Amino acid sequence: MKKSFLSSLRRGLRTVAAVSVASGALVMVASKCSTVASPEPIGHQTRSLVFEDGGCDLPLDATMDLYAIDAALVSMNTDTVANGSFVRWVEGVSGFQTDMIKSQIAAGATVPATISALNARLNTSTYPITDLTYGLVFLSVIGQAHDASSVSPLNTFINQAAPTMTCPIRDGGLPDGDYITPLNCDEMLRVRATQMLAYIETIHPNPRLLMTNTLSLAKYHPSSAVRQAAIDAYMFNRGDTTDASDYLSSQIDASDRIFIGRPRMYGDFDASAFDDKLSAWYDAHPEQVPIVDAGTDVVLTTVNCNIDGGF
Amino acid sequence: MRIRNAIVGGVVLLTVSLAGDAKATPTCPFSTFDEDNKTILFMPHTVPAWNALLSTNGTMTDQASWNDGEGFGTLDITKPFTKLAAAISVVGFYRYDSWWGWHPNGQYLTEGMTLDSRFHSQSHWSYNDEDKNGVEASTYSEWGVHYTQFKCPLFNDNPGTNNTSERAVTIVHEHWHLTLHDHGLNQHHRTGPIGSCMNTDASCDYYYPHLVHDYLPGGESGGDLAYFRESTSATFNGTGHALYHSAYQVGLEYACDLGQFSKPEVPKATTITATGIATGRANTNFINIVGWRCGQPLPF
């Protein structure tokens, strides 16, 4: 039996070899890869970070230079709006150069033709948005330009029936395991546009039209995400006052009133004030706190890895 | 008998020989350019992160899956391997470790790495060409080994998910499944539609609210990401709440921390997108209403 099995195995081996060659199947051999030196810095600030030995299991180098990209200025004009180079420039600008973005937009916004060029690109049938980041930053530029003429095209953009952007759809047949699914980028753009519309509407030349479109979105838009954005932006631009809250509550659907008064987490926030407001919101809406089963505490060792040596 | 033995022997050997095969040609069309990645590439931490992936490739990555058009061993911003290195550098170095925002960055980094940590045991990262328009990544365990597969939508022409912020959030999200699993907790999403989550697949989670500064009756800090407590002994203004995170919750809080509390060198492409992702996830993936919003509704 052993002899017959071995001979069968040899026949099988010849068969497999033929199949493997035919299919081009290869077994990859791991090769020793060389490391790559960091590119030459093109910025002008160099600092060193030192990792403190806090018992962290970080596999990276202990010291590395931190520097900023030296972004050459790009003006906002009809050409740079049309070819997308202005928005692309804004995308690459570092956070500490935000004032540079604002100054370039302020300068460009004094030219009506530039504003018209921006507004025209809210027509997604003519100028389709093909990149989520580009779309979000483009809308931010329109908001920062702060021109009343953008209100109408923004409103059209938010309410249009056709998708503002074509996103991937799932094939179905979801894989085994625990997964993360793509976001609705069309809705994300409408939310961002709603925030920008509200920001611009606060300076509408006709006081009778202040925030009317934002209020209309909060009342009538079919997307809950857009209504939530409109509610939050309305309150923000009205100073989060009690008067604003009372008026808004009287206008929107009763089921949406729960979205009024949520605290915002942002860069300069006051953590204590945030916690107070968060507690107050959950006080008012205890049904939003999920119930979990009582169980044993599980506490992980809280070793903080201090990877920031400071400036 | 001889024919049967030949077939059995052939099948065994065929299975072994195909075990390490790479696919012939990737079917996922990779994007050629995006400003986000161009900027990320020239941030200094991308290269060390990339080097780290190479130096530990035997344990961290399924090299074969990244080695047929996916750019293993090459510094190419259009290829998945470099894009993943950029995402790791974002998780590791784009925020301070001080407690600004929801959680200190060192915790997200340790949780996001594939190596053994206090969060989870070692995991292996692979690339999967399937699900061109499907999920972004999936995590599973097999024979006690953790695997995370990063899939086509994170790297290809699909415009909504092919960005560095989403990749960084995905790393943190997927490893949270491992963290829950390794601590005997339920790591699975729930199938919608349920509550405020209108999705019809398994992509709904509860949001377990906590304060930025949460304290327990004994005075211990309860807001630490590394703290699990499935009990209601810690009160939330009398309501009671669990110090616990679901996978979409960790991703949401990380996305907002990345969007709002990044170092000043971080480009606008990353922060604006991350804030948008946080808002999107809060709107889309939770059964209960998330009681806060990410960012202020301002342009910059």
Side-chain angles (χ1 to χ4, degrees):
Chain A
M1 182 176 290
K2 182 178 178 182
K3 185 177 179 182
S4 68
F5 177 76
L6 285 175
S7 63
S8 298
L9 204 59
R10 280 192 287 271
R11 280 198 289 276
L13 180 61
R14 286 195 291 272
T15 304
V16 166
V19 171
S20 297
V21 169
S23 68
L26 298 170
V27 176
M28 302 305 296
V29 176
S31 59
K32 182 175 171 58
C33 301
S34 60
T35 57
V36 174
S38 296
E40 286 297 315
I42 59 176
H44 49 72
Q45 292 179 318
T46 302
R47 299 183 180 87
S48 294
L49 295 181
V50 177
F51 291 124
E52 293 186 14
D53 183 10
C56 302
D57 49 358
L58 297 175
L60 304 177
D61 293 339
T63 61
M64 53 187 67
D65 291 335
L66 182 70
Y67 57 83
I69 303 299
D70 196 1
L73 284 176
V74 173
S75 299
M76 187 175 84
N77 55 52
T78 52
D79 290 337
T80 59
V81 167
N83 63 26
S85 61
F86 182 72
V87 173
R88 289 284 179 209
W89 171 75
V90 173
E91 286 187 50
V93 172
S94 299
F96 69 79
Q97 295 172 310
T98 301
D99 285 345
M100 189 164 63
I101 296 174
K102 293 180 178 178
S103 65
Q104 294 302 94
I105 292 174
T110 60
V111 178
T114 305
I115 297 296
S116 295
L118 283 172
N119 291 339
R121 273 149 185 82
L122 286 167
N123 182 343
T124 58
S125 61
T126 307
Y127 302 101
I129 297 174
T130 58
D131 178 86
L132 176 64
T133 296
Y134 183 94
L136 292 171
V137 175
F138 163 67
L139 290 167
S140 303
V141 169
I142 288 186
Q144 185 64 35
H146 220 197
D147 194 287
S149 69
S150 299
V151 170
S152 179
L154 276 171
N155 202 39
T156 301
F157 179 92
I158 297 163
N159 286 293
Q160 70 184 48
T164 59
M165 181 176 168
T166 301
C167 287
I169 57 173
R170 289 197 288 282
D171 286 333
L174 296 169
D176 293 333
D178 298 299
Y179 44 80
I180 181 169
T181 51
L183 279 164
N184 184 339
C185 59
D186 170 28
E187 191 169 76
M188 291 170 72
L189 291 180
R190 293 179 199 254
V191 165
R192 188 59 175 159
T194 300
Q195 294 174 327
M196 298 303 98
L197 183 148
Y199 181 65
I200 295 172
E201 273 205 307
T202 55
I203 52 94
H204 201 287
N206 186 344
R208 295 178 58 194
L209 297 177
L210 282 176
M211 307 209 74
T212 52
N213 289 281
T214 306
L215 198 55
S216 179
L217 291 171
K219 291 165 73 171
Y220 302 122
H221 198 278
S223 162
S224 175
V226 169
R227 295 198 308 274
Q228 291 182 50
I231 289 168
D232 177 63
Y234 180 89
M235 288 298 299
F236 177 81
N237 288 290
R238 292 290 305 273
D240 290 318
T241 62
T242 304
D243 284 348
S245 173
D246 290 345
Y247 179 71
L248 186 58
S249 291
S250 71
Q251 297 296 304
I252 61 177
D253 192 90
S255 63
D256 283 346
R257 290 173 189 159
I258 192 172
F259 299 124
I260 298 175
R262 291 187 288 179
R264 304 178 192 92
M265 171 75 76
Y266 63 98
D268 292 329
F269 86 132
D270 179 325
S272 295
F274 177 91
D275 280 349
D276 288 343
K277 202 164 184 180
L278 190 67
S279 296
W281 190 87
Y282 280 106
D283 257 355
H285 308 289
E287 75 285 355
Q288 300 303 325
V289 181
I291 304 298
V292 293
D293 295 331
T296 306
D297 289 355
V298 177
V299 182
L300 305 180
T301 305
T302 55
V303 176
N304 273 326
C305 304
N306 184 3
I307 61 172
D308 181 14
F311 285 87
Chain B
M1 176 71 94
R2 289 181 181 179
I3 293 173
R4 190 194 71 180
N5 286 345
I7 292 173
V8 169
V11 168
V12 168
L13 288 171
L14 184 64
T15 303
V16 170
S17 74
L18 289 176
D21 285 343
K23 52 197 173 306
T25 305
T27 59
C28 178
F30 300 136
S31 65
T32 55
F33 173 82
D34 61 89
E35 189 66 34
D36 184 13
N37 264 309
K38 174 187 166 187
T39 305
I40 296 292
L41 181 68
F42 289 102
M43 298 298 282
H45 311 112
T46 300
V47 173
W50 184 78
N51 287 337
L53 283 177
L54 290 179
S55 65
T56 59
N57 72 79
T59 55
M60 286 178 64
T61 61
D62 173 5
Q63 180 183 340
S65 72
W66 299 96
N67 212 3
D68 186 20
E70 289 78 28
F72 186 92
T74 60
L75 200 63
D76 183 343
I77 58 170
T78 69
K79 295 294 171 60
F81 194 80
T82 300
K83 290 185 176 183
L84 195 66
I88 300 166
S89 76
V90 169
V91 176
F93 302 106
Y94 274 33
R95 292 182 60 236
Y96 296 108
D97 197 37
S98 53
W99 205 313
W100 294 350
W102 285 111
H103 300 285
N105 199 67
Q107 296 178 13
Y108 292 122
L109 172 60
T110 307
E111 183 263 2
M113 296 304 293
T114 60
L115 302 180
D116 278 327
S117 73
R118 62 187 182 278
F119 290 96
H120 55 73
S121 57
Q122 182 178 293
S123 69
H124 297 263
W125 287 358
S126 63
Y127 171 79
N128 189 302
D129 211 21
E130 298 168 356
D131 297 308
K132 176 175 178 294
N133 291 320
V135 303
E136 300 170 55
S138 66
T139 292
Y140 60 96
S141 295
E142 202 169 71
W143 297 104
V145 179
H146 295 319
Y147 299 92
T148 293
Q149 281 192 344
F150 295 91
K151 297 176 185 284
C152 177
L154 278 178
F155 307 103
N156 74 348
D157 282 334
N158 284 330
T161 50
N162 175 32
N163 62 77
T164 305
S165 297
E166 181 64 9
R167 290 182 210 109
V169 171
T170 297
I171 289 171
V172 172
H173 171 110
E174 288 299 325
H175 274 197
W176 198 251
H177 288 295
L178 306 182
T179 303
L180 294 175
H181 173 272
D182 282 354
H183 291 87
L185 301 167
N186 181 10
Q187 80 269 26
H188 303 302
H189 300 306
R190 297 168 193 252
T191 300
I194 177 172
S196 297
C197 182
M198 295 296 111
N199 303 323
T200 56
D201 48 33
S203 59
C204 298
D205 277 343
Y206 279 106
Y207 183 84
Y208 298 89
H210 64 85
L211 305 175
V212 173
H213 294 125
D214 233 325
Y215 295 98
L216 301 178
E220 310 94 321
S221 171
D224 197 307
L225 180 62
Y227 205 117
F228 298 100
R229 188 165 184 161
E230 280 198 282
S231 73
T232 56
S233 61
T235 60
F236 201 153
N237 288 327
T239 307
H241 70 294
L243 297 171
Y244 187 87
H245 289 74
S246 60
Y248 274 112
Q249 177 173 353
V250 172
L252 160 64
E253 292 178 5
Y254 174 68
C256 193
D257 282 350
L258 178 62
Q260 298 297 311
F261 303 98
S262 285
K263 293 179 179 177
E265 291 82 1
V266 177
K268 288 299 182 187
T270 304
T271 56
I272 290 177
T273 305
T275 298
I277 290 169
T279 304
R281 290 293 177 198
N283 289 332
T284 308
N285 294 101
F286 291 95
I287 300 164
N288 53 332
I289 295 171
V290 177
W292 55 278
R293 287 188 67 86
C294 182
Q296 295 177 310
L298 293 169
F300 292 102

